[in-house]
Amino acid sequence: KTAQSVLAASVAGAYPMLAVVPNVVKINWAREVQRWTPQRRVAVIHGDGRDVDAFADVFVVNYEILDRHFAWLSSLGLRSMVVDEAHFIKNLKSQRSQQVLALAERIREGSPGGDPLLLALTGTPLINDVEDFNAIWRFLGWVKGSRPAPELMRRLEETGLTPADRG
């Protein structure tokens, strides 16, 4: 998942990129960025972020400290964002989910054409309720509130499907 995300950003030229990840995989993300895109600089954000390279191409931050870095990350002109272990944002009422969604919205607003590269990664099944997907769909821009977003509706209409169709 990590390599595919890094390569997708590279192909799309979607830098700077933010990866929001569980704390235990931050260093792995940095290694994968260096392995698959050695020409890119990666900054792993720890604690207060005092030693962060603000000119990096890829910023890696864990969920637990995202709130401390929200303001300056919002102002970087990010062109892509990856949410690793996206099931971590399934609770729309949690501060974690709200910050991820707000940051994605700011990235959308600042991205040319309003269409940044946004990726939600998870290998964990969400089995409780279809509502568990709502935050992920919002992050991806597929829904606005409780309704499908216009772009999703347009693409569904092109296929002849509606949100009510299981297919």
Side-chain angles (χ1 to χ4, degrees):
K1 298 180 303 186
T2 306
Q4 290 171 333
S5 300
V6 168
L7 291 172
S10 184
V11 168
Y15 295 103
M17 177 176 110
L18 174 65
V20 182
V21 306
N23 190 48
V24 298
V25 297
K26 283 195 309 192
I27 300 306
N28 183 61
W29 261 88
R31 280 192 211 114
E32 292 292 304
V33 169
Q34 292 167 341
R35 177 179 181 189
W36 294 101
T37 55
Q39 73 281 13
R40 297 292 176 184
R41 291 180 9 206
V42 63
V44 178
I45 303 168
H46 299 284
D48 63 8
R50 188 169 292 173
D51 299 328
V52 171
D53 175 3
F55 298 102
D57 300 301
V58 179
F59 297 89
V60 181
V61 66
N62 56 298
Y63 288 100
E64 293 79 10
I65 64 169
L66 180 61
D67 61 334
R68 293 184 221 169
H69 304 285
F70 182 87
W72 72 268
L73 286 170
S74 296
S75 68
L76 277 180
L78 296 166
R79 303 283 291 244
S80 61
M81 182 174 172
V82 178
V83 178
D84 194 4
E85 301 300 343
H87 57 278
F88 282 19
I89 66 165
K90 71 180 184 178
N91 180 356
L92 278 170
K93 294 179 181 174
S94 73
Q95 180 179 354
R96 170 189 315 186
S97 297
Q98 291 174 7
Q99 287 182 335
V100 166
L101 295 174
L103 195 49
E105 191 56 34
R106 288 202 183 167
I107 293 170
R108 247 186 231 94
E109 290 168 358
S111 180
D115 192 23
L117 177 66
L118 299 174
L119 301 168
L121 312 176
T122 186
T124 302
L126 299 168
I127 58 174
N128 293 331
D129 192 331
V130 72
E131 291 299 315
D132 288 352
F133 289 99
N134 199 0
I136 296 170
W137 291 339
R138 285 185 189 195
F139 168 74
L140 294 171
W142 294 356
V143 297
K144 297 243 187 231
S146 62
R147 312 223 12 108
E151 177 66 15
L152 177 61
M153 286 303 296
R154 186 184 64 71
R155 289 185 183 202
L156 285 170
E157 288 168 1
E158 288 174 359
T159 66
L161 299 172
T162 72
D165 296 321
R166 286 187 65 91

